[in-house]
Amino acid sequence: RRLQKRYGTVTPITCVSLLRRYAGHGETKLGDTFERSTHIVRKTLNLDIDIKHFDWHHKTKSGMDSTVRELWVLVARTFRKNGISAGEMQYDAASGDPVQIQNIRMQRGIVRWNCLDSLDRTNLSNFFTSWQVVAEMCRTLGLNQHKALQYDGTIPDTP
């Protein structure tokens, strides 16, 4: 109900579980319970909710580079389907306060990270996927990431 209240019933929600997923580990049971609960929530509250599993600890045994690649492969389609929010803001020249906000497009979904007690897993997953999401935003907004930015040593005035 908390997810429904926060995100509404229309927005698709993808939960990425970073829990360990091998027989005999305590997190496996929690992960199985989380998955069953997700199915119940989907049916009971009529939410478009999905769960993806990514055993961070198991994956990192192969190295961080391959872990990050596998994580992005797992979630890339979801982020691309959700899109990005974009808009324009106009500021008051004197105060610098926003006076008008225009939404051009709205993101169509939410991705949530779920873990038992490890902020490391959650933070690293957010960090590495955030870099990819920023690259996707740049492509979507038509910014060419291959051209070097020219910096002339000045800091532009901000409104």
Side-chain angles (χ1 to χ4, degrees):
R1 292 195 192 280
R2 189 175 62 204
L3 288 176
Q4 186 178 35
K5 183 177 178 181
R6 181 178 287 173
Y7 301 122
T9 57
V10 193
T11 302
I13 300 168
T14 301
C15 298
V16 181
S17 173
L18 302 171
L19 296 170
R20 295 177 184 165
R21 299 283 292 176
Y22 59 88
H25 196 280
E27 289 185 11
T28 303
K29 186 175 181 180
L30 180 62
D32 292 344
T33 302
F34 183 63
E35 182 154 9
R36 282 192 305 277
S37 299
T38 301
H39 292 294
I40 293 168
V41 167
R42 182 184 304 125
K43 289 179 181 179
T44 306
L45 299 178
N46 195 29
L47 281 177
D48 183 0
I49 187 169
D50 186 30
I51 184 169
K52 296 181 183 295
H53 296 283
F54 192 82
D55 184 337
W56 182 268
H57 280 291
H58 177 73
K59 301 287 185 184
T60 54
K61 291 178 183 176
S62 305
M64 190 58 75
D65 287 348
S66 63
T67 300
V68 172
R69 271 190 223 97
E70 285 185 52
L71 178 63
W72 183 244
V73 166
L74 178 71
V75 298
R77 179 176 286 144
T78 300
F79 278 105
R80 289 181 180 130
K81 182 180 82 177
N82 290 350
I84 64 169
S85 294
E88 294 179 6
M89 222 184 290
Q90 293 179 351
Y91 297 91
D92 179 86
S95 69
D97 294 335
V99 292
Q100 183 179 3
I101 300 171
Q102 178 185 0
N103 292 323
I104 296 171
R105 76 177 72 131
M106 293 299 291
Q107 169 181 324
R108 296 177 301 275
I110 304 295
V111 176
R112 291 188 50 106
W113 304 98
N114 296 292
C115 195
L116 176 64
D117 62 356
S118 175
L119 283 177
D120 289 343
R121 286 184 262 181
T122 306
N123 290 343
L124 285 168
S125 298
N126 271 313
F127 174 78
F128 287 119
T129 54
S130 293
W131 276 103
Q132 293 298 322
V133 169
V134 168
E136 293 292 321
M137 288 175 166
C138 289
R139 272 191 284 283
T140 301
L141 296 173
L143 303 174
N144 188 341
Q145 66 190 22
H146 299 291
K147 289 184 180 177
L149 295 175
Q150 300 297 318
Y151 178 61
D152 65 4
T154 62
I155 299 174
D157 291 332
T158 57

